[in-house]
Amino acid sequence: MTVSELRYLMAVARTGGDCGRTSGSEVARCLNVSRVSVFRALGRLERAGLALKGEDKCVRLTEAGVRVLEEYSALSRMLKAHLVRAGLAEGVAESESLKMACAMGEEARRAVFASFGD
């Protein structure tokens, strides 16, 4: 998972509302990127089984996409809280925590979850 992919997953979830479906244009506005960038990113997420485009061109997260987003978001929140306690500014801590979460392998993510859970 790259930071960019995680940000796109987050944007789909954020702009999807109660129905969980959104348009590429909404995602583009949310992230302040071009629709072409969104189209390419959503294609990668779809091939990875994390997002699904409907016939109406709307996109939603798959069950796997929701699980991945929840896992990385939880890890990022834990890391962000730790970085803020260590003295980093909120915005810097958020950005760095996303990078850290995405850089970790599965074993490291599980270890961090276990250590923060104690």
Side-chain angles (χ1 to χ4, degrees), residues 12 14-15 17 27 55 58 63 65-66 68 77 84 88 91 110:
V12 169
R14 189 175 318 125
T15 60
V27 173
E55 290 182 22
C58 284
E63 287 182 27
V66 171
V68 166
R77 282 191 304 274
V84 167
L88 285 180
R110 285 191 177 129

Side-chain angles (χ1 to χ4, degrees), residues 12 21 26 36 40 61 78 90 97 108:
V12 169
R21 295 165 23 120
E26 286 298 316
V36 172
R40 290 179 182 150
L61 299 182
M78 287 188 279
E90 189 94 9
S97 69

